[in-house]
Amino acid sequence: MGGALCALPSPHRDSLLLETGFLAVLVAPLRQPPHHKQGPQGGLAGASPHEGLPFWLVRWLLFRLMFASGVVKLTSRCPAWWGLTALTYHYETQCLPTPASWFAHQLPIWLHKLSVVATFLIEIAIPPLFFAPIRRLRLAAFYSQVLLQVLIIVTGNYNFFNLLTLVLTTALLDDVCLSAGSGNSRYKKKPTSWPRALLAMPSLLLEFTVYGLLAYGTVHYFGLEVDWEQHAVHSRTTFTFHQFSQWLKMVTLPTMWLGVVSLTWELLTALWRWTQVRGWLRKFCTAVQLFIFGTATVALFVISLVPYSYIEPSSHGHLWTGAHRLFGAVEHLQLANSYGLFRRMTGLGGRPEVVLEGSYDGHHWTEIEFMYKPGNVSRPPPVVVPHQPRLDWQMWFAALGPHSHSPWFTSLVLRLLQGKDPVIRLIQNDVARYPFHKQPPTYVRAQRYKYWFSHPGEQSLWWRRQWVEEFFPPVSLGDPTLDMLLRQFGLQDKSPPRARSSSNALAQTLHWIRKQLSPLEASTLLWGLLATVGAIRVMQALLGPHSSRSSPLTKEEKHRPAPKKDSGAASKQAAPAPDNCSSSSQTPRRKK
């Protein structure tokens, strides 16, 4: 299950980053309130009425991402997904495996197939629960998504994508889950009134009904059978492509209406919160904010319906024409995008891999080792999350077809022949480990291999490989073949670039910082920055609650000595005080 959310081309990952980044602008508060107290419904008493709307858009984005990712695996008619065998290939054929991928690949086949079933359950059946009115259902959906993303992070290097998805899942939580204050514990200890307890019974019954339907549907549609003799759980798809297409046609529009109903409820809730605002000036300001954020939320939702409907063509045609016009007007901004994480599995007959080689004489060739992608069969797969080594990723895509489908590869060969340092650092950050760091190679070529994970017991080997064919012919500077390819792709060197002015202080500072950090690997640098930010947040969390808790106590201590100075009636009023433990019960007595 760890690799079920398969590799996504870089443009789609960047589209998700763009869409999430724009939503982050809306989610960020307009002002930082000095202190928030716990509200009666588990919310924050000082929160603005509109603050739930951007979080709803994040939840809707998460729904579109996960639901489409599950659906496209079946609409692609990929035999690996339909046969539930995708994960028997995935761990060794994904772009950049991790050491845990080798161990996951050795798991029994029945467990791989069961993991695919669990993936379909998490990506297709559970996302509608993101909008469930029952809190425990939303929490169950949250934990299932977190489980999937964590397993993917452990078994695959998908840069920032899964970490970003984990951030999106926090939209399924509420203030009670995220708050670290002690006010929640007091609220939870309050006895539940009998009307609320009576209303909780249908909610609990509905919750168990949903779990029962999910369990029944999984067993029925994937034919789960327990084999007690072999200690295995066998599975198979019991529905056809036509049946799934009809089901998808039946549910696509209702899922859009589910979004409409959920958004309408969110808008009504925001409007009700606005009615509780005190003061005409503050009420006017919050009304303006609510109008702006409400309009933006509705507009972004309508825009997102167009790319979401791509999963089912007939539903796409039934959309309101105004939604198509609105989407076309802002499509270049990529405010909303379609998602589908690799519809088909690749490398079913072995992992294709391009190996670059250089030579000084054209007879003795030396392999050019990349930092991250497989090459040396004795080197373990690296862990590079959250960094995305784009050249290593593009090498994986290039291996899936001829070099003519990847014109940039010819330019890469040219720069290696020229010995361009920035390009060499994309291959090896430590230039000393590049085999031609002293002098550029005279000839460069590329071979295509097929790689497989080694079998358990093979000492000091992580991979097995077999030569397939020549991927790129041997070329040198001035070679007619190289010149012809460069002209064909429009990559021939033109006039030299203009020298950039270094008089700008900011440019000089950035250049110096980059020079100082260049010896560090990108993944190490990113984890260092994340650890620093995490340490700062931990310190704020440790110091913040202490100061906020201590201030109310000092205020009470200042007020307590005053009644003791009074005589007579004051002492009589103070007599029942031991029966009242909380400060809230004492305060009304003092007012009397």
Side-chain angles (χ1 to χ4, degrees):
M1 188 169 70
L5 205 143
C6 279
L8 182 70
S10 297
H12 290 87
R13 293 173 181 271
D14 296 336
S15 298
L16 179 65
L17 188 61
L18 286 172
E19 187 170 352
T20 306
F22 182 78
L23 294 183
V25 175
L26 300 179
V27 168
L30 296 177
R31 61 181 177 84
Q32 181 63 38
H35 182 64
H36 276 329
K37 296 182 179 180
Q38 190 70 26
Q41 301 299 329
L44 295 176
S48 300
H50 68 270
E51 287 186 359
L53 298 178
F55 281 102
W56 185 91
L57 284 174
V58 176
R59 202 187 318 166
W60 174 247
L61 170 59
L62 178 66
F63 170 79
R64 290 189 288 118
L65 172 66
M66 302 309 301
F67 188 74
S69 299
V71 164
V72 297
K73 291 176 174 61
L74 294 175
T75 56
S76 66
R77 302 194 185 195
C78 176
W81 287 116
W82 278 90
L84 307 180
T85 59
L87 293 186
T88 60
Y89 309 104
H90 165 76
Y91 295 110
E92 70 176 3
T93 62
Q94 61 183 317
C95 293
L96 296 176
T98 66
S101 304
W102 185 93
F103 295 96
H105 182 72
Q106 313 303 328
L107 295 173
I109 294 178
W110 69 265
L111 189 55
H112 284 307
K113 299 178 72 173
L114 189 63
S115 298
V116 175
V117 173
T119 299
F120 286 137
L121 175 67
I122 294 175
E123 292 186 347
I124 298 178
I126 289 183
L129 299 182
F130 296 170
F131 309 102
I134 302 176
R135 180 174 179 267
R136 284 191 296 266
L137 288 177
R138 296 196 302 272
L139 290 179
F142 166 77
Y143 290 124
S144 65
Q145 301 302 320
V146 169
L147 173 65
L148 177 62
Q149 299 305 319
V150 169
L151 290 176
I152 297 173
I153 291 173
V154 171
T155 58
N157 287 297
Y158 291 104
N159 52 72
F160 57 83
F161 180 76
N162 302 111
L163 296 176
L164 185 60
T165 306
L166 283 175
V167 173
L168 297 180
T169 60
T170 58
L172 302 176
L173 303 176
D174 52 24
D175 294 327
V176 176
C177 297
L178 297 175
S179 177
S182 60
N184 290 343
S185 59
R186 293 182 181 180
Y187 174 71
K188 291 179 181 178
K189 291 179 181 179
K190 293 181 180 179
T192 305
S193 61
W194 69 266
R196 182 171 296 182
L198 190 62
L199 291 175
M201 294 302 296
S203 174
L204 188 62
L205 181 61
L206 178 61
E207 185 179 351
F208 280 110
T209 302
V210 170
Y211 294 145
L213 288 175
L214 290 175
Y216 171 78
T218 304
V219 173
H220 177 73
Y221 290 107
F222 292 99
L224 299 186
E225 296 179 355
V226 179
D227 189 338
W228 299 105
E229 294 182 357
Q230 300 182 3
H231 300 89
V233 179
H234 300 295
S235 55
R236 69 186 190 283
T237 51
T238 60
F239 53 92
T240 64
F241 176 79
H242 175 72
Q243 291 173 328
F244 180 76
S245 299
Q246 292 298 116
W247 174 86
L248 184 60
K249 185 181 299 184
M250 181 178 64
V251 303
T252 301
L253 285 178
T255 56
M256 297 182 188
W257 282 110
L258 174 64
V260 171
V261 172
S262 178
L263 178 56
T264 302
W265 175 259
E266 200 70 36
L267 289 169
L268 291 176
T269 302
L271 188 61
W272 179 84
R273 289 175 179 169
W274 173 77
T275 61
Q276 308 302 309
V277 176
R278 302 290 181 86
W280 68 268
L281 181 60
R282 187 163 180 263
K283 201 161 192 171
F284 174 77
C285 294
T286 53
V288 174
Q289 295 175 7
L290 181 58
F291 175 77
I292 295 174
F293 279 85
T295 303
T297 301
V298 173
L300 288 173
F301 170 70
V302 173
I303 291 171
S304 68
L305 293 178
V306 177
Y308 171 68
S309 63
Y310 291 160
I311 62 175
E312 210 288 302
S314 63
S315 300
H316 180 73
H318 286 90
L319 272 183
W320 176 47
T321 55
H324 287 280
R325 289 196 298 268
L326 189 59
F327 174 74
V330 298
E331 184 178 6
H332 64 286
L333 300 176
Q334 298 189 33
L335 300 181
N337 305 278
S338 61
Y339 301 100
L341 311 182
F342 261 35
R343 294 163 172 81
R344 304 185 66 87
M345 293 299 299
T346 58
L348 301 187
R351 173 195 182 91
E353 200 66 59
V354 172
V355 177
L356 276 166
E357 297 176 341
S359 173
Y360 290 118
D361 56 9
H363 299 287
H364 302 87
W365 295 89
T366 302
E367 292 188 7
I368 299 175
E369 187 79 10
F370 282 67
M371 285 186 289
Y372 308 113
K373 81 179 198 68
N376 186 348
V377 295
S378 300
R379 191 186 68 172
V383 177
V384 299
V385 172
H387 173 53
Q388 180 176 0
R390 293 183 181 264
L391 179 57
D392 296 66
W393 270 71
Q394 292 303 318
M395 290 291 290
W396 183 84
F397 286 105
L400 300 178
H403 71 83
S404 57
H405 290 179
S406 304
W408 59 267
F409 190 85
T410 304
S411 180
L412 173 64
V413 171
L414 173 64
R415 300 311 177 194
L416 293 179
L417 290 170
Q418 294 174 340
K420 296 294 184 179
D421 185 73
V423 177
I424 293 174
R425 288 186 179 276
L426 293 176
I427 297 175
Q428 282 293 342
N429 191 54
D430 184 3
V431 179
R433 303 180 63 178
Y434 180 67
F436 302 98
H437 65 278
K438 294 183 179 179
Q439 180 182 351
T442 307
Y443 302 92
V444 171
R445 71 180 183 183
Q447 308 287 345
R448 195 200 310 266
Y449 288 83
K450 282 200 173 180
Y451 277 65
W452 297 270
F453 272 137
S454 62
H455 297 298
E458 295 186 59
Q459 297 294 330
S460 303
L461 290 180
W462 288 84
W463 298 96
R464 295 176 293 114
R465 75 178 186 179
Q466 178 182 346
W467 182 85
V468 177
E469 61 183 351
E470 184 179 72
F471 180 78
F472 195 90
V475 294
S476 60
L477 290 177
D479 189 288
T481 302
L482 179 61
D483 293 340
M484 182 267 295
L485 290 173
L486 292 173
R487 286 194 304 270
Q488 178 181 344
F489 300 133
L491 299 173
Q492 63 270 34
D493 283 331
K494 300 178 181 179
S495 58
R498 292 182 301 174
R500 296 182 179 179
S501 175
S502 59
S503 58
N504 190 341
L506 177 61
Q508 291 180 349
T509 302
L510 293 177
H511 179 73
W512 181 84
I513 294 175
R514 181 175 183 178
K515 185 177 181 180
Q516 298 302 316
L517 297 179
S518 59
L520 294 176
E521 285 197 13
S523 57
T524 304
L525 177 61
L526 288 174
W527 277 117
L529 293 175
L530 291 176
T532 302
V533 173
I536 294 174
R537 296 298 297 170
V538 169
M539 293 299 296
Q540 291 177 341
L542 292 176
L543 298 177
H546 175 74
S547 58
S548 62
R549 279 197 295 264
S550 60
S551 56
L553 293 176
T554 56
K555 291 180 181 179
E556 291 179 5
E557 290 172 356
K558 291 180 179 178
H559 287 81
R560 283 175 184 172
K564 293 181 180 180
K565 293 181 181 179
D566 299 335
S567 58
S571 61
K572 293 179 181 179
Q573 292 179 1
D579 294 334
N580 302 307
C581 300
S582 65
S583 60
S584 60
S585 60
Q586 294 175 5
T587 304
R589 294 180 182 271
R590 285 199 289 268
K591 289 183 179 179
K592 289 181 181 179

